[in-house]
Amino acid sequence: MINFIRNDFCRISTRKYYILISVLMTMISIVLGVYLTSNVQTKANIAIVTKSTTSNFKSKYANVTRLDKEPEKYELVLSKYDGVIIDKGNGKYAIDTIKNEDYRKTLEMVLKNPKGFNPESKDSRGIGTTIIGYLLMFILLQGVLFMFTLAEDIELKQIERIAAAPIYFIKYLLSNFIFNFFIVSLPAFFILAVMKEIFGYNIGFSLLEYAGLLGIIVSFGIAFAMFINAIVKVSDTANMMGSSIVVLTTILAGSFYSFENGNKILEKVIWILPQKDFLSFVQGLENGKNIASILPQLLYVIIISLVFFIFSIIKMKKDYVLRED
């Protein structure tokens, strides 16, 4: 197994510039995520659409912007506004937001008591959850990207020679897992440690907690990447498909903002995504919830990871070890 891992690291040189750019982009993303969430005070951005020249919508917890017409939908998607309150006249108002139903109810409270509005709640995201959400997509994308060692072996038929050799096939797959685990997790953990210990930024969790959280999500990302490569045997296709699935599902899971918006069908789709459960677990952990109440969400992510990994082993073993020519 050690020889396999050593060979994987040696093969990095063939894509060193591509990989270096990827790692640097992730590190820059971590730095920006830590800096923004640690230093910028978060306020809700609310737009008030009204023809009235006077407005009593003021709150120390929110940035309130008066508009003459409704903002474009993309401005909500880009988080320029968290919500829009539309004055229909005669004391009637409409609310528009892409966030979930709970946030819509919060905006309804703004109408009743603007000055007392406080967007923060016991379920709001803290610094640690925000950083993890920001990192989630980049970590999963790197899991797919750095699986090129296995993807190339499959595409170039090298895996058939390995499977025919007098070694345990499981050791070969585990070596790919270990190689990817370290090359994805170490840069992320290193930059978090630098930001906390050297520059003194508040990153929400301790380094030990980040090590555990990164270990879980990196393992999930690698298991998913192995699953994709076990099914799609062309490296570029597997990379493109895996990356597309990661981007779509991670955004829908609420890595940056919620897409639920009260849509029952969409909510059901979102709640089966492992990324959603992982973020919910991280948020509950940071908010001090009872471990027993959030443990099922963590177990769900671990179980899905094991299913991906075990399926990959069975599929590739069937294709390359147990087949009869």
Side-chain angles (χ1 to χ4, degrees), residues 77-132:
V77 174
L78 294 176
S79 296
K80 182 176 181 180
Y81 302 110
D82 296 302
V84 181
I85 298 176
I86 306 166
D87 185 357
K88 296 292 187 179
N90 298 322
K92 295 182 179 180
Y93 295 88
I95 295 174
D96 187 19
T97 179
I98 65 169
K99 294 181 179 289
N100 56 30
E101 190 62 26
D102 289 338
Y103 198 84
R104 181 182 294 274
K105 292 178 180 178
T106 300
L107 292 181
E108 292 175 356
M109 295 174 61
V110 178
L111 295 172
K112 300 177 181 178
N113 185 15
K115 294 183 179 180
F117 169 61
N118 185 347
E120 296 185 358
S121 68
K122 63 180 181 180
D123 293 323
S124 62
R125 285 190 178 184
I127 292 175
T129 306
T130 304
I131 292 174
I132 289 292

Side-chain angles (χ1 to χ4, degrees), residues 298-316:
L298 179 62
L299 291 177
Y300 178 70
V301 179
I302 294 174
I303 289 171
I304 292 295
S305 302
L306 288 173
V307 169
F308 281 149
F309 186 62
I310 293 172
F311 177 88
S312 302
I313 293 175
I314 294 174
K315 181 70 167 62
M316 285 187 277

Side-chain angles (χ1 to χ4, degrees), residues 260-279:
E260 295 170 40
N261 197 25
N263 187 314
K264 299 301 180 182
I265 297 178
L266 184 58
E267 284 182 11
K268 291 179 180 179
V269 172
I270 289 174
W271 279 102
I272 67 173
L273 299 177
Q275 297 100 309
K276 178 68 176 180
D277 282 84
F278 181 74
L279 286 171

Side-chain angles (χ1 to χ4, degrees), residues 18-210:
Y18 183 48
I19 293 174
L20 180 60
I21 291 173
S22 176
V23 173
L24 286 176
M25 287 180 63
T26 299
M27 287 187 172
I28 292 172
S29 300
I30 294 172
V31 172
L32 290 176
V34 172
Y35 176 78
L36 291 175
T37 54
S38 298
N39 291 275
V40 178
Q41 183 180 3
T42 303
K43 284 188 175 182
N45 294 304
I46 300 174
I48 305 294
V49 182
T50 179
K51 299 296 183 180
S52 174
T53 56
T54 61
S55 175
N56 63 344
F57 288 94
K58 296 180 180 179
S59 173
K60 64 180 181 179
Y61 297 107
N63 297 317
V64 181
T65 304
R66 183 184 174 278
L67 302 175
D68 293 326
K69 62 178 183 179
E70 294 183 38
E72 299 293 336
K73 203 70 174 181
Y74 73 84
E75 294 182 276
L76 293 175
V77 174
L78 294 176
S79 296
K80 182 176 181 180
Y81 302 110
D82 296 302
V84 181
I85 298 176
I86 306 166
D87 185 357
K88 296 292 187 179
N90 298 322
K92 295 182 179 180
Y93 295 88
I95 295 174
D96 187 19
T97 179
I98 65 169
K99 294 181 179 289
N100 56 30
E101 190 62 26
D102 289 338
Y103 198 84
R104 181 182 294 274
K105 292 178 180 178
T106 300
L107 292 181
E108 292 175 356
M109 295 174 61
V110 178
L111 295 172
K112 300 177 181 178
N113 185 15
K115 294 183 179 180
F117 169 61
N118 185 347
E120 296 185 358
S121 68
K122 63 180 181 180
D123 293 323
S124 62
R125 285 190 178 184
I127 292 175
T129 306
T130 304
I131 292 174
I132 289 292
Y134 196 82
L135 288 176
L136 190 56
M137 181 182 295
F138 297 99
I139 293 294
L140 295 180
L141 283 174
Q142 281 202 343
V144 174
L145 171 66
F146 292 130
M147 194 52 68
F148 73 88
T149 53
L150 177 63
E152 287 182 348
D153 284 344
I154 292 175
E155 186 174 4
L156 300 176
K157 309 297 183 181
Q158 294 292 336
I159 194 171
E160 295 181 7
R161 300 178 183 178
I162 295 171
I167 60 171
Y168 290 106
F169 191 67
I170 186 66
K171 288 185 178 180
Y172 165 73
L173 296 179
L174 283 174
S175 68
N176 278 278
F177 188 97
I178 294 171
F179 162 76
N180 280 273
F181 183 88
F182 283 110
I183 201 171
V184 174
S185 60
L186 286 181
F189 183 79
F190 173 77
I191 197 65
L192 284 169
V194 169
M195 295 297 288
K196 178 179 175 64
E197 300 298 334
I198 297 180
F199 294 103
Y201 284 103
N202 176 18
I203 59 176
F205 293 108
S206 68
L207 291 177
L208 183 60
E209 289 172 323
Y210 267 111

